Amino acid sequence: MAVDAKVAQYAPEAARLFGNMMVPSSILAGAMVPLGFLAPISLQSDEKEGQLAKILRLAYPILAVTSLCSDLLAVMWATVAVNQLTETKVAMAESVWHLLSRDYALQWAAVNSHFVLGMLGFMGAVATRTYFMCNKGPFGASVSGIVVAGLTLMISVVNRGVASGGGSDMRYGTNFLALFSNYARLLVNRAFSTKTFGPLEITAISLMLVSITSAVRQIVINVNKTKKQ
């Protein structure tokens, strides 16, 4: 039986795409360790500090931990995907995007989502650290604005990449939020499906939601406490 001329083996190209995501994610993870943990920002604020500075002090550890974990998850997802593409027999496809959408939709969405989330957390941490490094106030806000400008441009680049997708109508949506929602949907579907039930995935999702909610609640409590003093 003749093989359709439009169908080919795209596993090597798909593996290279995952490999391309490993490098920047690894760099961000490595940079996040000294930025967020070796020289952390003190959680203790002075009486003269405004509410913004107090919120940033408490939010900084959340940004650092979230960014580091997200970058490491991107590396993990990509590494396992490359191993699967290399070690197993992958069916031929019409394009790399077709192969990813058919067999590695969750993995590809996960790698991209965690890389973007790690980038957002990293730039948020840089902006926060810049604000305190410049003694807060108008000057600190101005210099931090440079970081925010860079972050805004990065988000624009990501949004355009998500919107273009694999060409034609093959895309996640029009912006990075569509990428995140697609990843969340695929992960939840796999975790709770009877065929692919994943208790560890369910545990991770539940613990993440509870931890973030609790951390945000503690920030609100601490800020309100300082208001009353």
Side-chain angles (χ1 to χ4, degrees), residues 9-11 14 85 90-91 93 95-104:
Q9 181 55 263
Y10 287 99
L85 285 164
V90 180
S95 64
V96 179
W97 181 263
H98 178 230
L99 171 60
L100 293 174
S101 300
R102 184 191 65 197
D103 300 332
Y104 293 89

Side-chain angles (χ1 to χ4, degrees), residues 158-222:
V158 171
N159 287 343
R160 292 185 181 275
V162 172
S164 63
S168 185
D169 294 328
M170 299 181 295
R171 59 181 185 176
Y172 292 122
T174 58
N175 53 57
F176 73 98
L177 295 178
L179 176 66
F180 289 166
S181 64
N182 184 67
Y183 168 47
R185 177 181 58 82
L186 291 172
L187 182 61
V188 170
N189 286 346
R190 189 175 79 166
F192 288 91
S193 174
T194 55
K195 294 182 179 179
T196 58
F197 181 70
L200 291 179
E201 291 170 335
I202 294 175
T203 302
I205 294 171
S206 302
L207 185 58
M208 177 64 72
L209 293 175
V210 171
S211 298
I212 292 179
T213 302
S214 177
V216 172
R217 181 173 177 271
Q218 289 302 314
I219 291 178
V220 173
I221 292 175
N222 279 275

Side-chain angles (χ1 to χ4, degrees), residues 76-120:
M76 180 64 69
W77 277 106
T79 301
V80 174
V82 169
N83 290 343
Q84 291 177 335
L85 285 164
T86 305
E87 297 169 354
T88 62
K89 183 179 180 180
V90 180
M92 292 188 292
E94 297 176 3
S95 64
V96 179
W97 181 263
H98 178 230
L99 171 60
L100 293 174
S101 300
R102 184 191 65 197
D103 300 332
Y104 293 89
L106 172 59
Q107 292 88 335
W108 187 238
V111 169
N112 283 275
S113 295
H114 282 298
F115 170 70
V116 173
L117 183 59
M119 176 195 71
L120 295 175

Side-chain angles (χ1 to χ4, degrees), residues 27-173:
I27 293 174
L28 284 177
M32 196 66 246
V33 172
L35 179 66
F37 300 93
L38 297 185
I41 294 176
S42 174
L43 298 180
Q44 301 298 323
S45 59
D46 55 59
E47 297 179 354
K48 298 181 180 180
E49 276 190 345
Q51 294 301 317
L52 174 61
K54 294 175 181 177
I55 293 174
L56 290 177
R57 283 185 185 277
L58 297 173
Y60 188 78
I62 300 177
L63 290 174
V65 171
T66 302
S67 179
L68 178 60
C69 291
S70 192
D71 288 323
L72 292 177
L73 280 168
V75 174
M76 180 64 69
W77 277 106
T79 301
V80 174
V82 169
N83 290 343
Q84 291 177 335
L85 285 164
T86 305
E87 297 169 354
T88 62
K89 183 179 180 180
V90 180
M92 292 188 292
E94 297 176 3
S95 64
V96 179
W97 181 263
H98 178 230
L99 171 60
L100 293 174
S101 300
R102 184 191 65 197
D103 300 332
Y104 293 89
L106 172 59
Q107 292 88 335
W108 187 238
V111 169
N112 283 275
S113 295
H114 282 298
F115 170 70
V116 173
L117 183 59
M119 176 195 71
L120 295 175
F122 178 80
M123 293 300 289
V126 171
T128 302
R129 194 162 196 86
T130 301
Y131 179 72
F132 285 100
M133 182 179 68
C134 297
N135 294 323
K136 301 163 284 187
F139 180 64
S142 300
V143 180
S144 297
I146 299 174
V147 182
V148 176
L151 175 60
T152 303
L153 184 56
M154 291 179 188
I155 294 175
S156 175
V157 172
V158 171
N159 287 343
R160 292 185 181 275
V162 172
S164 63
S168 185
D169 294 328
M170 299 181 295
R171 59 181 185 176
Y172 292 122

Side-chain angles (χ1 to χ4, degrees), residues 14-29:
R16 281 196 290 271
L17 284 177
F18 279 108
N20 289 343
M21 298 300 295
M22 275 193 266
V23 176
S25 297
S26 300
I27 293 174
L28 284 177

